Structure formats: C-alpha cells, structure tokens
Amino acid sequence: MTPNVRVDPHFFTELDAQLGQSRGPSGEPSASDFLLIDLPSLSAVIAERFEDLPALYPDRDDYRYLVAIGILVPAVTITAQLVADGSIVLFGIDIDLSAWPA
C-alpha cells in the first residue's frame, strides 16, 4: 500500500520564499504553478520509492530526500520524513533557480 503524503507548513514557507506568488519575468513559475504541476508527480515518486531514496541523516531511515527534474523547474530537492502513522511528511524544498537570469 502506498503511504499518504502530507505537506508540512514549513515546506510552503520555503516554497514561497523561492518562487513567490506570481510568475517571474524570465519564465519562473509561481509557487502555485509548482504545487499544481510539479508537486503531484514528485509526491507520488516519494510515496512509491521512499525506501529506495537516499537517507538524509546517517542512522535515520525515516528521513529521506529526492533529487529530481521537474516540469517547471530544472532541478529540485525535496526532504521528507516517514512518521509514526505510516504517512510521509514533506518538510523541505530546495529549487535550483540558477537556470533563470538574476
């Protein structure tokens, strides 16, 4: 059975700090764009392959991370934790913004 995936409020804070509320002048997606287009498929990968993902911390198999290419973003790292109820919580995100001009 595939675990449920939830998103921690800290994830949204980090996402908003990186992408913002509106699209950028160089084609950067908004945070809403990312949530609607990239996050569903990335969340599915995390849910289906959690045990295969690299451990974030030594000796802590409950923390994992995914490095992936998105549809809207050139690269993204999402950090997640498997919690006691069997669900996975996404709590961190780092988007590679280097492809867009400053």
Side-chain angles (χ1 to χ4, degrees), residues 55-76:
L56 185 61
Y57 304 112
D59 302 321
R60 290 295 307 260
D61 289 339
D62 55 330
Y63 287 92
R64 305 288 177 122
Y65 66 95
L66 172 71
V67 177
I69 296 169
I71 295 168
L72 299 176
V73 297
V76 61

Side-chain angles (χ1 to χ4, degrees), residues 28-79:
E28 304 92 337
S30 68
S32 295
D33 293 336
F34 180 84
L35 290 172
L36 293 171
I37 296 171
D38 276 339
L39 190 59
S41 60
L42 296 171
S43 296
V45 170
I46 291 170
E48 293 166 6
R49 300 187 49 224
F50 187 82
E51 295 298 323
D52 299 326
L53 297 176
L56 185 61
Y57 304 112
D59 302 321
R60 290 295 307 260
D61 289 339
D62 55 330
Y63 287 92
R64 305 288 177 122
Y65 66 95
L66 172 71
V67 177
I69 296 169
I71 295 168
L72 299 176
V73 297
V76 61
T77 301
I78 297 176
T79 52

